[in-house]
């Protein structure tokens, strides 16, 4: 039976402005003392130019040798609860025994308004996902189905994905540089700092392009 956490009341989820990058959120978390919130570099976007930002909705897979008569039920039930603005986070223990995400899951998530998907295992149908424009970040690609190989073990619980513990509601930002997760306890603070950093870096960039010396800009803004 799939483990599912009991819903609890939460404050409004943290969010970031649309131009905030994964690097800016990572720097903000570093400044708050959370220096290990960047997921493994093996997790990459399935196509260039993708970005996802939203709160985590988590799912965990474990190996199985049982070919169930209804192998997709737990995943279907999970996907039908995804809400707008969420990033689906799939933890597999880094197992490449199968793919865990494809075109149809992407279409379903897109239809529900999800912000993206992050998984520490392979995806498939990557060309079709790219054509849909849905932001998927995965540890490679394999064409093999998870049926009879992996099964859903838990939903909406804390999981380890790409070497980082991610809980439901944590803030996730992913782009071409990688994936960063801000723990819920500091998510609002980290988001505000990342927003401020993004605004400040725009000013720094403009001054550097206009010919300002790097040292002068550093002394003035403390941003690089």
């Amino acid at each position: 039976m799939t483990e599912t956490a009991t819903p609890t009341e939460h404050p409004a989820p943290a969010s970031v402005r649309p131009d905030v990058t994964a690097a800016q959120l990572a720097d903000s978390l570093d400044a708050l003392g959370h220096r290990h919130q960047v997921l493994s570099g093996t997790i990459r976007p399935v196509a260039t130019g993708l970005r996802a930002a939203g709160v985590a909705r988590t799912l965990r897979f474990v190996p199985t040798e049982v070919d169930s008569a209804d192998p997709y039920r737990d995943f279907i039930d999970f996907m039908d609860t995804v809400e707008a603005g969420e990033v689906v986070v799939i933890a597999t223990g880094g197992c490449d025994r199968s793919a865990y995400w494809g075109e149809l899951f992407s279409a379903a998530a897109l239809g529900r308004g999800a912000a993206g998907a992050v998984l520490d295992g392979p995806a498939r149908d990557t060309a079709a996902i790219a054509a849909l424009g849905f932001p998927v970040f995965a540890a490679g690609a394999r064409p093999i189905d998870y049926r009879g190989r992996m099964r859903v073990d838990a939903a909406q619980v804390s999981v380890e994905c790409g070497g980082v513990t991610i809980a439901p509601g944590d803030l996730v930002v992913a782009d071409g540089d990688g994936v960063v997760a801000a723990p819920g306890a500091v998510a609002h603070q980290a988001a505000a700092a990342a927003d401020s950093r993004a605004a400040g870096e725009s000013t720094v960039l403009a001054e550097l392009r206009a010919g300002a010396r790097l040292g002068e800009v550093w002394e003035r803004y403390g941003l690089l």
Side-chain angles (χ1 to χ4, degrees):
M1 179 178 293
T2 303
E3 176 189 353
T4 304
T6 302
T8 56
E9 292 295 324
H10 294 288
S15 62
V16 291
R17 47 189 270 175
D19 59 340
V20 165
T21 66
Q24 288 162 344
L25 181 59
D27 287 351
S28 298
L29 285 163
D30 277 354
L32 293 171
H34 292 263
R35 300 180 57 82
H36 304 286
Q37 299 305 130
V38 177
L39 278 62
S40 168
T42 61
I43 301 174
R44 306 295 304 158
V46 301
T48 58
L50 296 178
R51 178 186 183 276
V55 296
R57 178 168 287 266
T58 64
L59 191 70
R60 186 172 65 216
F61 275 85
V62 294
T64 186
E65 301 300 330
V66 177
D67 188 359
S68 167
D70 193 5
Y72 309 112
R73 175 52 49 195
D74 288 336
F75 207 155
I76 290 169
D77 290 345
F78 170 82
M79 288 300 300
D80 284 346
T81 66
V82 170
E83 298 182 1
E86 292 183 327
V87 175
V88 175
V89 176
I90 298 177
T92 74
C95 182
D96 67 353
R97 200 176 186 198
S98 73
Y100 303 87
W101 191 272
E103 178 186 15
L104 298 184
F105 290 144
S106 294
L110 192 62
R112 295 195 60 82
V118 172
L119 48 153
D120 62 358
R124 67 178 188 174
D125 309 324
T126 53
I129 293 172
L132 283 173
F134 184 70
V136 175
F137 296 75
R142 293 198 77 192
I144 191 167
D145 188 17
Y146 74 75
R147 178 173 186 164
R149 299 180 177 92
M150 303 291 289
R151 65 174 179 84
V152 173
D153 171 62
Q156 283 296 83
V157 298
S158 292
V159 298
E160 184 171 312
C161 183
V164 174
T165 299
I166 301 177
D170 286 358
L171 175 64
V172 177
V173 174
D175 59 24
D177 286 340
V179 185
V180 182
V186 297
H188 285 276
Q189 190 176 359
D195 285 350
S196 177
R197 179 174 287 272
E201 287 185 7
S202 295
T203 300
V204 167
L205 179 62
E207 292 193 13
L208 289 173
R209 288 176 61 87
R213 294 181 181 276
L214 189 60
E216 294 172 352
V217 171
W218 168 250
E219 289 295 331
R220 190 152 47 243
Y221 300 104
L223 292 173
L224 283 180

